Amino acid sequence: MRPLAEFDARGIHGVLTDLDDTLSTDGRLDPEAFAAMNRLREAGLRVVPVTGRSAGWCDHFVRMWPVDAVIGETGAFYMLREGGGVRTVFMPDAAALEAARTRRGPIAEAVLREVPEAALAGDQPYRLVDLAIDIAEAVPPVAPERVARIVALLRAHGMHAQPSSIHVNAWFGEFDKGRTALELLAGHFGETDEAARDRWVCVGDAPNDAPLFAAFRNSVGVANLLERADRMPVLPRWITGAPSGAGFAELAAHLLAAR
């Protein structure tokens, strides 16, 4: 990973950003990062959060935040504001949605029986597709080997599973943050995959952001990613000097300077 200062950001016109520990700092939305999102949009750049957070939270984000769309539940859907309402476009097929409806509860119970120091994520009741196991938000940080055990158990039940900085997200169906981002950019913004890979930058901090880093040529990690770099299947090309929300604000300033 190279310092952010080496990133030639001319020609970038959109930002795909993780939320937890990228826009937020210590569990709270960073005011500096929120203001930076607004400055980016005022300058004509598009901003799209790409998060593992629930549909209920994403509905609020797309209605109330200075963003152009939101991708939620680790790529299960994207949401667009249309007039006074919100349109949700799902990625899983009918079979995967049915599996999510009927199988998540029993699988969660089985995982938490074996790893009781974890917990069901606090926003699970507001999720439509994925299962989120809390490993560091409302519980003390779960040891890395126990997080790996949670991932293995979820995969043994036929789910995809990826850790974030606070949750392990699991789902049925063939999607992830990177694939859904490309679907959104093609379907709503008219970007070909090749154009999107060059003209958008993605930023994140955790293993579940790796599909974004793999899908886009312009990829940035906030500095706290270094704490888990050894667990990242794909690393970003550039790294900020500052962590979390301050790191996002650093990236925003870099993009605006290139305008």
Side-chain angles (χ1 to χ4, degrees):
M1 293 179 287
R2 304 199 299 273
L4 181 66
E6 297 182 12
F7 172 29
D8 181 355
R10 291 173 296 179
I12 296 296
H13 65 224
V15 182
L16 300 155
T17 177
D18 176 53
L19 194 165
D20 289 293
D21 294 312
T22 299
L23 288 175
S24 69
T25 302
D26 296 329
R28 297 290 184 106
L29 178 62
D30 190 294
E32 186 182 4
F34 192 82
M37 281 197 295
N38 199 52
R39 288 194 296 272
L40 289 169
R41 291 198 76 232
E42 287 178 342
L45 282 86
R46 298 190 183 277
V47 178
V48 178
V50 186
T51 178
R53 287 295 186 174
S54 66
W57 285 36
C58 291
D59 181 270
H60 167 78
F61 299 153
V62 78
R63 290 177 189 271
M64 304 296 291
W65 285 17
V67 299
D68 295 275
V70 177
I71 294 170
E73 298 190 21
T74 319
F77 53 79
Y78 60 82
M79 289 184 175
L80 305 162
R81 184 169 181 174
E82 294 188 343
V86 172
R87 178 165 66 94
T88 303
V89 178
F90 288 94
M91 297 297 109
D93 61 19
L97 289 172
E98 178 63 14
R101 188 182 69 82
T102 60
R103 296 181 59 192
R104 285 182 299 174
I107 291 172
E109 291 173 3
V111 169
L112 295 176
R113 277 196 301 270
E114 183 157 340
V115 189
E117 63 269 38
L120 202 61
D123 65 347
Q124 187 64 44
Y126 315 114
R127 293 176 181 270
L128 298 177
V129 177
D130 83 346
L131 169 63
I133 303 295
D134 186 351
I135 56 170
E137 185 176 34
V139 301
V142 175
E145 64 272 17
R146 299 289 278 167
V147 173
R149 182 60 182 154
I150 292 170
V151 170
L153 288 167
L154 291 165
R155 290 175 178 169
H157 282 282
M159 303 187 83
H160 298 280
Q162 291 178 337
S164 74
S165 57
I166 57 170
H167 296 154
V168 175
N169 295 94
W171 64 92
F172 297 102
E174 300 305 317
F175 58 84
D176 57 37
K177 284 185 172 187
R179 281 183 279 186
T180 302
L182 290 171
E183 287 277 347
L184 166 65
L185 299 186
H188 185 65
F189 298 123
E191 299 268 23
T192 65
D193 284 0
E194 280 302 304
R197 292 179 205 277
D198 285 331
R199 299 195 296 197
W200 286 70
V201 59
C202 62
V203 55
D205 75 295
N208 71 337
D209 298 314
L212 276 177
F213 300 154
F216 291 86
R217 297 188 180 98
N218 302 304
S219 56
V220 176
V222 287
N224 44 301
L225 177 146
L226 295 171
E227 300 168 8
R228 54 188 71 89
D230 61 337
R231 301 192 294 277
M232 295 289 300
V234 180
L235 289 168
R237 294 182 68 184
W238 295 281
I239 190 82
T240 64
S244 302
F248 178 85
E250 180 185 337
L251 170 62
H254 186 77
L255 295 174
L256 292 171
R259 306 285 281 180

